[in-house]
Every structure is written in C-alpha cells, then in structure tokens.
Amino acid sequence: MSDLLRMRDVSLTYRSEGGDVPAVRNVDLDLDRGEIVGIAGESGCGKSTLASTILRLQPPTARVTGEVLFEGQDVLTMSWGHLRALRWAGASMVFQGALHSLNPVQRVGDQIAEPIHLHDPETSDKQAHLRVGELLEQVGLPAARARAYPHQLSGGQKQRIMIAMALACRPRLIVADEPTTALDVMVQAQVLHVLSGLVHELGVGMLMISHDLSVLADLCDRIVVMYGGRVVEQGPSKLVFGEALHPYAEALSAAFPRVGDPAARYAPSGLPGDPPDPAALPPGCSFAPRCPRVIDDCTRAVPELRSFGGDRQASCIRVGQP
Ligand code: ADP
Ligand code: MG
C-alpha cells in the first residue's frame, strides 16, 4: 500500500466537437515517499494527461473517472479549499517547457517568493527572502542570483529556478513533466542530477515523465511505460530498461538517443510509425499495428495487465510465448 500517491483505474476522456478522445485508460499507479517513479512513452501516449489529474489540472471539459488518492484523500472529489492547500505545499509540478513561463520583467527571486506568500500570507518579506536564498543554493545557484531577470540566465539556470519554485512550499510530491526536454544533453544531465539529489536529500516522492527511457532508467526506482493511454508495462527500472517484457517497452529501451540528433529524442529508432491517435484506437492491443511480434489474436481484445512476479506487470499476450 503506497502512502503518498495511489491512482486507481484512472481514465480521462477529452470531450471535443469531433467526438470523445480517451487519452488515459484504466491506469493504476503507486508512489511511496522518497521514491522516484518514471513514466515513459512516446509523445501522445497520455503521460501529461495522466499527470494533470494529480492536482486536478485537467480542462473542465475532460471527464475523469477512478481515484487519485494523495495521502489517502481523493483529489478528484476534494473541496476547492482543500485542493488549493494541496497545490504547491502537498504536491507541485515542474512543467514541460516551463522555461517560457517565467515572467520576463520580474526578478526570479520574487517569482520564487510568490508561492511562498500565496501559501502562507503571514510570511514576512525577510523570511521569504531567506527562504529564496536557501532554495537557490539547494538547486546549485548562488543566493545572489535572486536579483537576476530571466533573460540574464541560461536555459539550465532557468530550469533550476523552476525547480526551486516547485520546492518553495516544501511539497511531499514533485511531478516533473519532461523537465529537461528543452535543454541540451549536457545541461539536461546536470539538471536531472540536481533534481534527483534533492528528492533523496529531502525525502520527497517524485513522478518523472520522459519519452526517454534511458534517462528514466538512471534516475528512477520504478518505471511505468504508457502506450495509447494505457500502462503496457511497469516494474523496477533496471528490469524494464534492460529486460523489457512488452515489445513496446523493448523498442523504447533499444532507442538510445543519439547525441545531437533531436529527432531521435522523439521517435525511437528502429520502431516505424506513430503511436495511435486516441480518438481512433485500433482494435485490441493498440501497439499491434507496429508490433514485430503481432499475431491475429492481438487484435481481438485489449490485453490485460498481467503480473510476472517481483512487482512486474505487462499487458501483452505474447509474453511467455515462443
Ligand atoms: P504525452 O504527454 O504522452 O505526449 P498527452 O497527454 O499530452 O500525451 O496527450 C495524449 C492525447 O490526448 C494526445 O492524442 C493529445 O492530442 C490529446 N489531448 C491532449 N490534450 C488535449 C485537449 N485539451 N483536448 C483534446 N485532446 C487532447
Ligand atoms: Mg507530455
């Protein structure tokens, strides 16, 4: 039983004029205190959509079912007051492309102080200032950088500011959605190192989303692989990365990013085609049209997520077959 985050049978359907888009389907996910769990999968597989439900950030037109329990309380049904208290201080997010969400005309220190004041209006300017300095040092920047404007910082430094902001109210869970995808490879490694170091030092839990399985394998205790809005495999990261059961997880593992080739970071090499459009899912297993091991039975029914011992699960009828 996980004490921090427990998602059960979570589905999210976007409703649009063109029809329903079932972007996330029947996902279970657990995360304990001090644990780093990765969510992998190509673009469009529902990773960000799933993450949005943790702080109930999905658009109002989306229909969400299931349970998202944060420390035992269901985020999907809690009062707005309770939800407001949870955001920043219970769980916080570092978003994909967050670099562009810094206010260009405000000093970064003031931007980090904003959630601190918002969360506790009693905080004095002096207290907030000290806390901002402490946070900057935690993410490896000198406290004096608080006076800088965003344009005076590099991409990696700006992303550290976003991490400092996410840590500002001492959350128990950090959700990092592709936190380094916009950065070059060297800076990416530094920022991930800072982030994972802090998670261990502060004992918080982290959900780290990336299309890059090799990045997750280095940092995470467990990895959940999503495809077509569903979990297709989950287990200890060394096994999911090194000895994948599901053919999709195996293809992702084989797709090491080639340094300097941005295209390789989005489409795994050796895996032709694209992930399915959730508005037009193929019958049966969503991966069947791209799967090297496909047989007729794969298109008959959506495969169940089966257990394979040692906290490993995969949804493929071919696992264990010659
Ligand atoms: P990922 O983060 O894995 O790249 P997303 O969760 O962003 O995937 O998207 C999953 C699917 O949901 C995609 O097909 C995307 O087009 C669709 N989608 C995302 N946001 C919306 C929205 N607001 N309305 C309709 N469809 C959406
Ligand atoms: Mg995304």
Side-chain angles (χ1 to χ4, degrees):
M1 165 95 193
S2 63
D3 46 4
L4 194 56
L5 179 68
R6 188 174 157 88
M7 305 177 95
R8 282 296 170 273
D9 201 22
V10 174
S11 297
L12 185 150
T13 300
Y14 292 110
R15 280 176 289 191
S16 71
E17 282 183 15
D20 283 358
V21 181
V24 167
R25 298 181 289 150
N26 311 102
V27 171
D28 290 349
L29 189 147
D30 290 296
L31 200 153
D32 283 320
R33 245 165 261 276
E35 192 182 29
I36 308 184
V37 173
I39 303 184
E42 287 162 286
S43 189
C45 285
K47 306 181 301 294
S48 297
T49 298
L50 180 69
S52 74
T53 65
I54 298 171
L55 286 174
R56 211 159 99 197
L57 293 169
Q58 70 274 7
T61 52
R63 185 176 61 238
V64 188
T65 56
E67 284 182 334
V68 178
L69 301 175
F70 184 81
E71 295 174 339
Q73 308 242 320
D74 194 347
V75 175
L76 299 177
T77 55
M78 68 176 52
S79 69
W80 280 107
H82 197 156
L83 185 63
R84 220 171 294 129
L86 178 71
R87 290 179 180 169
W88 293 107
S92 65
M93 295 200 66
V94 181
F95 286 104
Q96 183 168 10
L99 304 182
H100 310 292
S101 66
L102 286 169
N103 182 342
V105 296
Q106 195 184 16
R107 294 183 199 278
V108 293
D110 294 340
Q111 300 188 53
I112 299 172
E114 225 164 78
I116 300 175
H117 287 299
L118 194 75
H119 184 69
D120 182 2
E122 307 280 286
T123 313
S124 68
D125 285 347
K126 178 137 189 281
Q127 283 169 324
H129 179 76
L130 287 173
R131 176 77 182 133
V132 168
E134 183 182 287
L135 285 161
L136 287 171
E137 281 169 5
Q138 276 180 339
V139 298
L141 292 174
R145 290 311 261 163
R147 297 188 55 73
Y149 288 94
H151 74 267
Q152 296 170 313
L153 302 175
S154 69
Q157 289 172 330
K158 276 188 265 194
Q159 195 57 298
R160 286 171 198 244
I161 298 292
M162 300 310 297
I163 295 169
M165 209 182 280
L167 292 169
C169 298
R170 299 188 169 87
R172 276 93 71 199
L173 172 67
I174 294 175
V175 180
D177 188 354
E178 310 258 10
T180 60
T181 300
L183 304 174
D184 68 57
V185 178
M186 296 298 287
V187 180
Q188 181 176 344
Q190 288 165 8
V191 172
L192 290 172
H193 184 75
V194 168
L195 201 51
S196 62
L198 283 168
V199 167
H200 287 125
E201 188 185 315
L202 304 174
V204 300
M206 182 159 80
L207 192 63
M208 165 80 100
I209 297 173
S210 179
H211 58 274
D212 186 336
L213 198 53
S214 64
V215 162
L216 296 180
D218 284 345
L219 292 175
C220 301
D221 302 301
R222 281 188 302 120
I223 293 177
V224 174
V225 180
M226 288 183 74
Y227 191 81
R230 293 175 66 92
V231 173
V232 295
E233 176 157 353
Q234 79 93 18
S237 58
K238 297 292 171 289
L239 294 178
V240 174
F241 188 59
E243 299 165 38
L245 296 171
H246 195 287
Y248 179 61
E250 196 179 336
L252 270 189
S253 301
F256 270 103
R258 278 164 293 158
V259 174
D261 177 2
R265 296 165 74 185
Y266 294 95
S269 54
L271 183 59
D274 295 306
D277 174 357
L281 290 166
C285 173
S286 322
F287 188 58
R290 299 168 82 189
C291 185
R293 301 197 64 206
V294 66
I295 56 173
D296 285 351
D297 277 350
C298 296
T299 56
R300 295 216 170 95
V302 175
E304 299 261 324
L305 202 55
R306 291 185 289 151
S307 289
F308 291 91
D311 186 31
R312 295 195 78 186
Q313 292 179 311
S315 65
C316 172
I317 57 169
R318 302 284 279 135
V319 177
Q321 287 181 359

